[in-house]
Amino acid sequence: MKPAIGILGGTFDPVHYGHLMPAQETMQKLALAQMRLMPNHIPPHRPQPIASAQQRLTMLQLAVSSMPGFTVDGRELGHHRPSYTIDTLIQMRLELPDTPFCFLIGMDSLLSLPHWHRWRELTDYAHLIVSVRPGWTAPRQGELADFIQQHQMGDPADLHRHLHGGLYWMQNTPIDLSATQLRADLAAGRAVAGRIPAATADYLQQQRIYCRSVI
């Protein structure tokens, strides 16, 4: 069995420390060998991104350039169809048959899980690492509650002993950041220092991706 790796998907429109810091904290606390950031091309459950696929890929590559253990996996950006997590995990499992996967999601994503494509199969290929947020609680009854009860793990070492199958509650340090607010600030010309890695912020300024004249 090889060391477990983390996977964080999203539109990253733009990437910011609200994505990066919890992912880094999770990687350190769970002793993950790697954290893969995976931008999706056509998110099936949310508005389409403003930045292009290539721009979002470049933003991520710049953001992780100074973060040891982080890498960017752009496979979903080559799809001309909605990006379904289950399809990506199946493909990755074929490539890395002996590596445990830890797929990171927030509590809001967990609550919407029954709307995901083939959601019950996710734990056939990965563990789910759920970032617990203040004010959010897990359901106590229904199909999602049953799913949680069946898969939840209490010992993080089990994430390394098994290839998949677990659901682990991750107590991350809360970070109050949103891509929506960042886009608004960038469009208005307000400073975003401290919320976005410097290299990514420089790229955004050069490309003027979210400026009002562009959007």
Side-chain angles (χ1 to χ4, degrees):
M1 189 88 70
K2 295 184 178 179
I5 66 171
I7 304 166
L8 176 63
T11 53
F12 302 110
D13 187 32
V15 62
H16 54 74
Y17 283 128
H19 303 124
L20 299 173
M21 300 311 292
Q24 186 177 54
E25 185 178 22
T26 298
M27 184 174 71
Q28 293 171 348
K29 288 185 176 180
L30 300 184
L32 303 179
Q34 182 188 83
M35 182 61 67
R36 293 194 182 195
L37 302 185
M38 190 170 294
N40 50 43
H41 178 49
I42 304 175
H45 302 300
R46 61 188 304 168
Q48 300 307 300
I50 293 171
S52 70
Q54 184 56 55
Q55 287 171 330
R56 290 183 292 120
L57 180 65
T58 300
M59 282 190 275
L60 279 169
Q61 290 170 336
L62 290 169
V64 306
S65 61
S66 60
M67 299 184 70
F70 275 65
T71 187
V72 180
D73 188 326
R75 72 180 69 214
E76 290 189 352
L77 295 178
H79 297 169
H80 298 290
R81 54 177 172 76
S83 301
Y84 292 119
T85 299
I86 185 63
D87 295 334
T88 300
L89 291 178
I90 290 173
Q91 183 183 49
M92 291 184 65
R93 177 55 66 213
L94 292 173
E95 298 169 5
L96 301 169
D98 301 322
T99 301
F101 298 154
C102 293
F103 187 77
L104 280 60
I105 61 174
M107 181 64 80
D108 51 344
S109 294
L110 176 70
L111 296 177
S112 69
L113 208 59
H115 300 289
W116 290 33
H117 182 57
R118 295 167 58 186
W119 67 281
R120 290 183 177 277
E121 297 177 46
L122 296 174
T123 46
D124 292 340
Y125 299 92
H127 304 296
L128 300 182
I129 311 300
V130 183
S131 180
V132 180
R133 299 178 183 178
W136 295 82
T137 58
R140 297 182 179 180
Q141 58 184 4
E143 60 178 351
L144 182 56
D146 293 341
F147 178 84
I148 293 171
Q149 181 64 34
Q150 179 183 356
H151 293 284
Q152 63 184 345
M153 283 181 173
D155 185 355
D158 286 337
L159 300 170
H160 297 270
R161 298 187 187 111
H162 306 283
L163 289 172
H164 54 80
L167 186 152
Y168 183 79
W169 303 107
M170 185 71 202
Q171 300 288 340
N172 286 118
T173 303
I175 298 179
D176 186 16
L177 279 177
S178 78
T180 300
Q181 183 59 54
L182 281 168
R183 289 194 298 269
D185 288 343
L186 287 162
R190 291 188 287 266
V192 296
R195 292 181 285 169
I196 296 177
T200 302
D202 289 344
Y203 176 75
L204 289 174
Q205 185 175 16
Q206 294 165 8
Q207 297 290 309
R208 296 175 57 81
I209 298 170
Y210 302 108
C211 292
R212 285 199 175 97
S213 60
V214 177
I215 64 175

